[in-house]
Amino acid sequence: MKKAILGWSAVLVLLGCSNDLARGGTGGVAAQGGVSSGSSGGDTSAGGSAATGGETASGGSSVGGAIGSGGAIPTGGTKSSGGAVGGTNSGGAIGSGGAIPTGGIASSGGALGGASNGGAIGSGGTSRTGGTTRAGGASGGASSGGAIGSGGTSRTGGTTRAGGATGGTSSGGAIGSGGTSRTGGTTRTGGATGGTSSGGATGSGGTSRTGGTSSSGGATGSGGTTGGTTGTAATGSVPTIAGCNIFPAGNPWNTDISGYPLNSNSATYLANMSPATGFHPDWGTVTDQYGMPFSTGTGATPQPLTWNASWGSTESDQLPCPTGSNKFCYPIPLTAAIEGGAGASADSDRHVLYIDTAGAPNNCTLYELYNAQNPTGGSGWTASNGAIFPLGTNALRPDGWTSADAAGLPVLPGLVRYDEVMAGEIRHAIRFTVSRSYQGYIHPATHAAGNSTAGLPPMGLRLRLKASFATTSFSGPTLVILTAMKKYGIILADNGSNWYISGETNEGWASYMDGLVSGLGKVHGSDFEVVDTGSVLTGH
């Protein structure tokens, strides 16, 4: 897979296995991701005023409550046309013609649940602590805010659904049709534009808060720790993990390429990529140690890195240790999950993917190691390569540099993740492999790992599932993946088995893998086309 271990990749290909196959042996893998627990209360604007027709006292809740159409707003409440916003701390809210006790259930007509419980409901829905989805309703939002849809459906973390609303960002808040946004909220059609850190804004028919301030609560905690729940969501079009945006909206991984022009060499590339071969999901469960786990957290002690490959020190990002002369110290906990588990072969890929959530939501940092060995004692990590990706920028690695992936790309942004599939939408391109590649690359890739045979695909090549490909016979997770392949496409990131797409290790896949293997196997390389995303670079 990498410069020093291409022989292992060749053996895997001959065996018909992906470079990312699960490895046997003992040793657990930490659960992925992690969303911090929410602070108490929602976001209210002290002294907020009612919209047209609003008066105080009528049907309001006693603590920061709010009412729907034609009602009234107590102190700190907000009124919007056709809906209501949850109050502070108590999480109370009301629907049309009703009131909710602390932590109670909204009446028919719907209301936005309080942030402290992470609950939210839509028309006829019922909130649950932690935000379990209910038909016609909506689930809890991010760590400190719920989400409400007007008959729509939201998912954990507030993924947008038709007619619904998004969950809040780090400060919570969500909007629905004619509803009200809260601090850090996001714009939605028919809803409201999210406010800044100092105040929210109402949607259609609502009343704007002029510089309103947030009350206690409505902020995220530490952003999760290693071994937490994955917690994938989305803020607008940007995927998030543990409250961290995974690159800006304009990043190549997050770009809609459905309208991009075809690459003039599309047919030639595909002819050299085993076009009759079906796709395969290269991931599975923690029990099977199959796929790529990742960990999140913050505040970890910087660990010294020792390189076991000659190119480790020359193509890895420096981060000097607090003391001593070592130029490489990454704040990756020694308990971070390793691909394949502790028992994985020492010469296998053994990726370590870790997000430091400090700076969430916009300025988290992704650290990735390749061929990371089991830490022993206090000696830190030993690996073949280390890469640091500031998630708030679109900066690329230097041309010619590899990473934990042969293409010099980050691994984590291209993984199919369990929570986003369960939410019904993937908002990024997907990582894939082929057995042979050209000695060249297309940005955002920065490294080649192939040969000079003309017509082979370069690293970073972007493909999309043809718009004409019929998906009507597919359903569930397979359909979610195929939909993303039409919009965001797939990116060639490494040498491995042909048309293997990468995903996270997660126990939740257990009941879905048979269907995914069967469904994706019906999709072939010939069903794709190559899009033009830039020139092929060589010489590095």
Side-chain angles (χ1 to χ4, degrees), residues 457-470:
M459 289 295 164
L461 192 70
R462 190 79 165 257
L463 297 83
R464 67 179 172 228
L465 184 60
K466 294 176 181 177
S468 60
F469 182 86

Side-chain angles (χ1 to χ4, degrees), residues 416-437:
V416 174
R417 301 191 293 273
Y418 177 75
D419 278 10
E420 61 186 354
V421 170
M422 293 300 103
E425 186 174 25
I426 296 172
R427 297 189 176 191
H428 58 81
I430 298 170
R431 175 189 188 269
F432 83 105
T433 62
V434 294
S435 61
R436 298 190 305 152
S437 63

Side-chain angles (χ1 to χ4, degrees), residues 155-161 229-235 237-241 246 253-254 283 294 411-431 476-481 483-484 488 501-504 506 509:
R155 290 293 188 272
T156 302
T159 304
T160 304
R161 289 295 175 270
T229 304
T230 302
T232 302
T235 301
S237 61
V238 181
T240 67
I241 297 176
I246 307 303
W253 285 103
N254 302 330
W283 66 83
F294 61 88
V411 175
L412 182 54
L415 298 183
V416 174
R417 301 191 293 273
Y418 177 75
D419 278 10
E420 61 186 354
V421 170
M422 293 300 103
E425 186 174 25
I426 296 172
R427 297 189 176 191
H428 58 81
I430 298 170
R431 175 189 188 269
T478 301
L479 180 58
V480 173
I481 293 170
T483 301
Y488 299 99
I501 57 173
S502 304
E504 69 154 320
N506 194 303
W509 293 121

Side-chain angles (χ1 to χ4, degrees), residues 44-46 183 197-200 209-214:
T44 63
S45 297
T183 305
S197 59
S198 63
R209 294 291 172 261
T210 305
T213 56
S214 159

Side-chain angles (χ1 to χ4, degrees), residues 357-387:
T357 59
N362 296 321
N363 293 294
C364 300
T365 306
L366 171 62
Y367 297 89
E368 298 191 344
L369 301 178
Y370 170 68
N371 190 233
Q373 303 303 305
N374 297 334
T376 57
S379 60
W381 291 97
T382 297
S384 294
N385 183 269

Side-chain angles (χ1 to χ4, degrees), residues 293-295 297-298 300 302-303 305 317-319 329-333 336-337 351-358 363-370 381 385-391 404 410-412:
F294 61 88
S295 308
T298 193
Q303 297 295 332
L305 285 159
D317 294 304
Q318 294 186 8
L319 186 62
C329 261
Y330 292 4
I332 303 176
H351 290 100
V352 170
L353 315 176
Y354 177 76
I355 294 179
D356 187 335
T357 59
N363 293 294
C364 300
T365 306
L366 171 62
Y367 297 89
E368 298 191 344
L369 301 178
Y370 170 68
W381 291 97
N385 183 269
I388 303 175
F389 297 95
L391 295 177
V411 175
L412 182 54

Side-chain angles (χ1 to χ4, degrees), residues 185-251:
T186 53
T187 303
R188 285 297 175 271
T189 303
T193 302
T196 61
S197 59
S198 63
T202 65
S204 148
T207 301
S208 175
R209 294 291 172 261
T210 305
T213 56
S214 159
S215 66
S216 65
T220 58
S222 66
T225 57
T226 300
T229 304
T230 302
T232 302
T235 301
S237 61
V238 181
T240 67
I241 297 176
C244 295
N245 292 340
I246 307 303
F247 292 123
N251 187 272

